[in-house]
Amino acid sequence: MNEEQFIQALKEQGIELSEKQIQQFRRYFEILVEWNEKMNLTAITDEPSVYLKHFYDSISASFHFDFTKVTTVCDVGAGAGFPSLPIKICYPHLHITIVDSLNKRIQFLNHLSDEIGLDHVEFVHARAEEFGQNSQYREKFELVTARAVARLSVLSELCLPLVKEGGQFLALKAASGDDELKDAKKAITVLGGKLVHHVAFELPIEESERTIYVFDKVKATPKKYPRKPGTPNKSPIK
């Protein structure tokens, strides 16, 4: 997917990019490749793949979720900024908080946001488990997103504690989603979540499968969650 195909594909989904937004994506790609030579941000560095598998794939969440209706978004384990920063470029009103456990990635995100002129962004160096127990962030976000960070049973424990009651958790998954959902049912209920929508679709060109899950936060998360760093991964809620 070259830049022109990317612009056209978004247009077909009702997203018309301005010249400024096109330039922001162009610069995002350049900075990603430049920094990737110094540190491992992504295995995907050729332009058509970045535009398809990082930019378009991230933005595809907005084809199934209305980002115009939320303001505060937290992205857990976003790595090089996916999915939240491509979404932010398309929806500039969003206030984005990214939490990541690797400080080098946070440095990259700060540099990137300065270079491409993003406002209302905050990048926090922390383990997601500790971040979820921080009263400054706990149950403060209208929407929490995560893209292929961990299995859904683990991901729920990292993300749902950050969602305010009445807010939502959006999980972007590959084809393995349904099995993960079965494993995660207990965790989602315990943590105060409820599945309200899920959609399966294919990424264009390469036709790889994707699944998006939307959970409502229907009640407060018990105080003991998330547990200590590493615990959700070692012993997911069953």
Side-chain angles (χ1 to χ4, degrees):
M1 181 178 272
N2 61 31
E3 183 184 87
E4 203 173 312
Q5 290 170 316
F6 172 71
I7 294 164
Q8 187 56 36
L10 290 186
K11 196 174 183 178
E12 285 165 15
Q13 294 287 349
I15 298 172
E16 293 216 30
L17 296 179
S18 67
E19 196 49 53
K20 178 188 175 183
Q21 289 166 317
I22 292 166
Q23 187 57 41
Q24 284 176 311
F25 280 113
R26 197 176 293 159
R27 194 74 190 104
Y28 196 153
F29 165 69
E30 290 167 357
I31 294 165
L32 181 68
V33 172
E34 187 187 309
W35 276 61
N36 207 58
E37 288 172 8
K38 299 181 277 186
M39 56 184 282
N40 182 27
L41 288 165
T42 177
I44 298 164
T45 55
D46 65 288
E47 188 172 357
S49 296
V50 169
Y51 270 84
L52 176 65
K53 295 181 183 179
H54 283 327
F55 297 164
Y56 186 86
D57 192 22
S58 293
I59 298 161
S60 66
S62 74
F63 311 155
H64 308 284
F65 182 91
D66 188 354
F67 281 89
T68 64
K69 296 198 169 155
V70 295
T71 304
T72 55
V73 180
C74 181
D75 194 2
V76 174
F82 309 119
S84 58
L85 294 190
I87 291 168
K88 163 73 175 169
I89 293 172
C90 294
Y91 298 89
H93 74 282
L94 293 173
H95 290 225
I96 303 284
T97 302
I98 289 178
V99 56
D100 199 278
S101 60
L102 199 65
N103 199 36
K104 280 183 180 175
R105 284 199 288 257
I106 296 295
Q107 288 168 358
F108 163 76
L109 293 169
N110 276 312
H111 174 75
L112 172 73
S113 68
D114 287 345
E115 283 286 313
I116 67 175
L118 297 180
D119 60 2
H120 302 300
V121 288
E122 182 184 3
F123 308 118
V124 183
H125 175 225
R127 292 289 296 265
E129 296 94 333
E130 293 165 337
F131 186 78
Q133 288 290 1
N134 184 330
S135 59
Q136 191 182 339
Y137 301 108
R138 185 180 176 86
E139 296 190 327
K140 291 290 194 287
F141 298 95
E142 293 167 89
L143 180 69
V144 176
T145 59
R147 177 178 179 245
V149 173
R151 288 183 66 79
L152 207 44
S153 51
V154 178
L155 206 52
S156 304
E157 187 168 348
L158 304 180
C159 295
L160 277 166
L162 297 165
V163 184
K164 58 164 66 173
E165 280 186 73
Q168 290 172 306
F169 163 42
L170 184 71
L172 287 75
K173 287 283 173 188
S176 62
D178 281 349
D179 291 338
E180 290 190 26
L181 185 63
K182 283 176 200 152
D183 288 348
K185 274 188 172 162
K186 168 97 187 281
I188 289 156
T189 304
V190 166
L191 296 158
K194 179 187 173 188
L195 179 68
V196 288
H197 178 57
H198 82 281
V199 60
F201 60 97
E202 287 186 343
L203 207 56
I205 301 168
E206 67 167 31
E207 296 178 350
S208 52
E209 291 179 49
R210 295 289 185 271
T211 314
I212 287 175
Y213 294 95
V214 182
F215 302 91
D216 276 355
K217 180 76 172 274
V218 292
K219 63 179 197 293
T221 301
K223 285 190 168 56
K224 70 173 186 173
Y225 300 109
R227 293 164 293 167
K228 286 179 182 169
T231 306
N233 216 10
K234 283 191 203 114
S235 49
I237 301 164
K238 294 284 188 198

